[in-house]
Amino acid sequence: MSEQQIKITLAQLNPTVGDVTGNAAMARAARDKAKGDGADLVVLPELFIAGYPPEDLVLKPAFQSACRAEIEQLARETADGGPAMLIGTPWVEDDKLYNACALLDGGRIAALRFKANLPNYGVFDEKRLFARGPAPGPVTVRGVRIGVPICEDIWLEESEEYENVVECLAETGAEILVVPNGSPYARDKADLRLSIVVARVTESGLPLAYLNEVGGQDELIFDGASFVLNADLSVAAQLPAFEENITTLVWRKTADGWRCNGPVTPQLEGDKADYAACVLGLRDYVRKNGFPGVLLGISGGIDSALCAAIAVDALGADRVRGVMLPFRYTAQVSLDDAARLAAALGIRYEVLPIADAVNGFETILAPVFAGLERDITEENLQARARGTLLMAISNKTGAMVVTTGNKSEMSVGYATLYGDMNGGFNPIKDIYKTEVFRLSSLRNSWKPDGALGPSGEVIPVNIITRPPTAELRENQTDQDSLPPYDILDGILERLVEREEPLADIIAAGFDRDVVTRIDRLLNIAEYKRRQAAPGVKVTRKNFGRDRRYPITNRFRDFGKALPAPDEQLVTRGSRASVEAFEG
């Protein structure tokens, strides 16, 4: 008796939301490759034909019809005797809209499976878009019964609200589990995915192929990193992260069930994964929205330096333009470091002094400001002059302005609306300042596969070691107004990602006055964040998609008395006050 086997192609691809025709063409090309490999089935990610996540676009009847028409056309093409195709699509049936997977084979839609468990937390909002599907049974491909849980169908345990889809599939005869996903990247997400898959394989006794989308979609980054576990929990295959990949796996039936062995690609972790996510996010935002290139203000500081390196790695030096916009407070060392950075990266670089613009604004405003002291208003005029000039160059050339503020600044409002916050996309919006330093040092010794920038030291060491400064007044440093960044970021991570009560943060050793001040700044800066450019999400909770606080908000965390300072505590905080940044 001959050995029973099946060949399954995993197509880890990068669709574009709304590009139904283009996504169908990608699916067609993947099937052609699978056919060349002698595959029986090619699998594409969740909602592939629409792109993921389609958000409210999926509610548009014309869009639903366009997706269905392409699926029906792809189905007709499977009459050629080649591999079957399992592809994600929105699907309307009985006046209900489902997140579906369609099995296309033999010139027809051979089966449809609907997502049963709809995520409605964090960045997900599927309950308002889709109807919940029934508990599914397996589909049959070349005589093999394949269970098709869709993304969230494997993440949740059974409850009154959720189905145990994997258990249902196992009980109805599934032999292999194939899971199409649209799972966004977040730091340490790979470990979480693996633990979920281990749990499902353990409870079902079935091997599982986890296929994930790759690419950037607005703030979300899909890292791919698809993998397969055999029923004994051995890693059968591991696809690369942050890049497209089409791999055909040969599955063989043994006395213990189906198993396969394929390539296992080492994965990026930690800061390397975060950096690769930032590069992919900027690249796809520029590419998918049709910008010819980008420009950014080069200040001689570390934030703009890191953004410039990310931009060159994403797009190539020929599509990146740096502009230094000095004023009388700009130190010569900043001019020198900015020039060295531009030369190391090989980008076009210009110096446009802003004194005439700032002085002109002050002259115009002199009658209005008569009798009033100089303050942060005049400092913000500098930032807004720079923002105006960058936007003018953008309007003239079509290049998108890259915003360069980090998460620490965005948290406490240490940024100027319509000034340094100008721009179309921010690759480091979800990166704290302490992480900016780490990623900059990392980039000088490493770059991700596929990066288009030069190897070696591209960010001058002096930029990394020099105290950060906005240079809006004489001898200014960030630490004049903020606590040291290791302290600030430690407090912010507890406030933003963990949502810890102030009392708990203070009990952990942070200074009471600093904690309450940072909490106040975080709250009053919400109106700025609502007007900020989108940016890459890398943490568990970013501003925008994850953390959506009201702008008008009178609540403060003083519901119960905070503990008095305890001199016995090991205090890691600073007792220096923090200025408010209302501009």
Side-chain angles (χ1 to χ4, degrees), residues 4-27:
Q4 188 178 359
Q5 70 174 35
I6 186 171
K7 291 185 178 181
I8 300 176
T9 299
L10 301 181
Q12 178 179 288
L13 297 178
N14 185 351
T16 298
V17 168
D19 186 8
V20 180
T21 302
N23 296 340
M26 293 175 66

Side-chain angles (χ1 to χ4, degrees), residues 62 206 217 244 290 298 309 375 405 446 451 511 518 571:
L206 299 176
Q217 172 58 31
E244 292 186 302
I298 301 292
D375 57 16
W446 167 89
D511 182 84
I518 297 305
T571 303

Side-chain angles (χ1 to χ4, degrees), residues 288-532:
K288 292 181 178 181
N289 287 291
F291 293 105
V294 300
L295 73 146
L296 71 163
I298 301 292
S299 67
I302 194 166
D303 294 328
S304 63
L306 179 60
C307 287
I310 290 170
V312 172
D313 283 343
L315 306 170
D318 59 330
R319 298 179 66 193
V320 181
R321 183 174 187 170
V323 185
M324 161 58 89
L325 299 153
F327 191 52
R328 61 173 173 265
Y329 303 122
T330 304
Q332 185 60 46
V333 65
S334 297
L335 289 161
D336 295 342
D337 285 344
R340 280 195 287 267
L341 171 76
L345 290 171
I347 62 174
R348 178 175 176 175
Y349 176 69
E350 292 140 321
V351 179
L352 303 178
I354 65 170
D356 288 349
V358 176
N359 293 336
F361 282 134
E362 292 201 22
T363 298
I364 294 169
L365 291 166
V368 181
F369 290 173
L372 302 175
E373 294 291 329
R374 294 181 68 85
D375 57 16
I376 198 171
T377 305
E378 284 75 18
E379 294 183 18
N380 286 336
L381 282 177
Q382 300 167 50
R384 290 183 173 126
R386 292 182 174 112
T388 298
L389 293 171
L390 290 174
M391 291 306 299
I393 299 171
S394 174
N395 290 163
K396 185 65 70 174
T397 65
M400 183 194 76
V401 175
V402 171
T403 317
T404 62
N406 61 69
K407 190 171 187 177
S408 306
E409 295 173 349
M410 293 308 303
S411 296
V412 297
Y414 193 48
T416 303
L417 276 173
Y418 325 120
D420 55 317
M421 287 178 65
N422 277 6
F425 193 79
N426 184 348
I428 64 168
K429 183 179 179 180
D430 204 26
I431 302 290
Y432 285 115
K433 187 76 168 191
T434 49
E435 296 162 351
V436 168
F437 284 106
R438 293 207 312 265
L439 293 187
S440 297
S441 296
L442 170 68
R443 179 55 183 86
N444 279 347
S445 60
W446 167 89
K447 65 177 182 177
D449 291 342
L452 301 177
S455 300
E457 183 181 302
V458 294
I459 299 177
V461 173
N462 191 57
I463 290 179
I464 299 174
T465 59
R466 184 181 170 211
T469 172
E471 293 191 318
L472 298 177
R473 61 177 180 268
E474 202 71 53
N475 299 318
Q476 181 188 31
T477 67
D478 291 0
Q479 251 63 90
D480 297 339
S481 305
L482 298 169
Y485 277 114
D486 58 341
I487 294 170
L488 175 63
D489 291 352
I491 294 170
L492 288 172
E493 196 272 338
R494 287 167 169 81
L495 286 171
V496 177
E497 274 82 28
R498 302 188 203 175
E499 298 272 15
E500 287 186 7
L502 299 193
D504 290 356
I505 300 173
I506 294 166
F510 291 93
D511 182 84
R512 172 193 179 99
D513 292 340
V514 173
V515 170
T516 55
R517 188 65 164 162
I518 297 305
D519 180 63
R520 175 179 179 272
L521 294 175
L522 177 66
N523 281 287
I524 66 176
E526 186 64 36
Y527 80 102
K528 287 188 179 183
R529 291 189 290 271
R530 287 288 185 95
Q531 300 178 69

Side-chain angles (χ1 to χ4, degrees), residues 56-388:
D56 283 12
L57 175 62
V58 79
L59 300 177
K60 193 177 183 68
F63 182 67
Q64 298 166 4
S65 297
C67 291
R68 185 172 189 133
E70 286 292 352
I71 292 294
E72 291 172 344
Q73 176 57 35
L74 288 170
R76 285 189 286 271
E77 294 171 17
T78 62
D80 63 0
M85 176 183 288
L86 189 65
I87 183 169
T89 182
W91 195 264
V92 177
E93 189 163 296
D94 297 329
D95 296 323
K96 293 182 178 180
L97 176 64
Y98 293 98
N99 179 337
C101 271
L103 177 66
L104 316 180
D105 196 17
R108 63 191 180 91
I109 298 173
L112 286 162
R113 290 295 179 264
F114 301 144
K115 190 172 184 178
N117 295 326
L118 303 174
N120 215 61
Y121 54 86
V123 303
F124 303 107
D125 196 20
E126 290 197 25
K127 286 186 179 179
R128 63 182 293 271
L129 300 175
F130 298 107
R132 181 179 176 183
V139 299
T140 301
V141 179
R142 309 299 184 263
V144 181
R145 294 172 65 79
I146 295 175
V148 188
I150 303 171
C151 199
E152 195 76 2
D153 286 340
I154 70 167
W155 281 73
L156 298 170
E157 302 289 347
E158 185 176 8
S159 66
E160 291 183 3
E161 188 176 2
Y162 296 106
E163 298 278 357
N164 190 324
V165 174
V166 170
E167 181 181 86
C168 178
L169 288 166
E171 290 175 349
T172 52
E175 301 171 73
I176 298 171
L177 300 174
V178 174
V179 189
N181 291 270
S183 179
Y185 172 77
R187 194 173 294 154
D188 301 323
K189 185 78 167 286
D191 291 340
L192 177 59
R193 289 182 191 139
L194 181 60
S195 68
I196 294 295
V197 170
V198 165
R200 300 294 88 81
V201 171
T202 299
E203 68 190 26
S204 68
L206 299 176
L208 188 152
Y210 184 100
L211 173 66
N212 194 25
E213 177 181 334
V214 70
Q217 172 58 31
D218 298 342
E219 298 105 320
L220 299 183
I221 309 304
F222 298 90
D223 52 324
S226 306
F227 63 97
V228 179
L229 288 190
N230 285 316
D232 62 4
L233 301 181
S234 61
V235 177
Q238 174 69 68
L239 275 56
F242 304 107
E243 62 184 71
E244 292 186 302
N245 183 276
I246 301 175
T247 294
T248 299
L249 299 171
V250 179
W251 296 71
R252 293 181 171 86
K253 192 168 187 179
T254 71
D256 297 320
W258 290 91
R259 63 182 296 116
C260 78
N261 291 288
V264 176
T265 304
Q267 297 297 289
L268 295 179
E269 298 178 343
D271 289 341
K272 289 183 177 180
D274 284 355
Y275 188 88
C278 292
V279 170
L280 178 58
L282 180 60
R283 176 184 294 148
D284 271 3
Y285 193 84
V286 170
R287 177 179 67 87
K288 292 181 178 181
N289 287 291
F291 293 105
V294 300
L295 73 146
L296 71 163
I298 301 292
S299 67
I302 194 166
D303 294 328
S304 63
L306 179 60
C307 287
I310 290 170
V312 172
D313 283 343
L315 306 170
D318 59 330
R319 298 179 66 193
V320 181
R321 183 174 187 170
V323 185
M324 161 58 89
L325 299 153
F327 191 52
R328 61 173 173 265
Y329 303 122
T330 304
Q332 185 60 46
V333 65
S334 297
L335 289 161
D336 295 342
D337 285 344
R340 280 195 287 267
L341 171 76
L345 290 171
I347 62 174
R348 178 175 176 175
Y349 176 69
E350 292 140 321
V351 179
L352 303 178
I354 65 170
D356 288 349
V358 176
N359 293 336
F361 282 134
E362 292 201 22
T363 298
I364 294 169
L365 291 166
V368 181
F369 290 173
L372 302 175
E373 294 291 329
R374 294 181 68 85
D375 57 16
I376 198 171
T377 305
E378 284 75 18
E379 294 183 18
N380 286 336
L381 282 177
Q382 300 167 50
R384 290 183 173 126
R386 292 182 174 112
T388 298

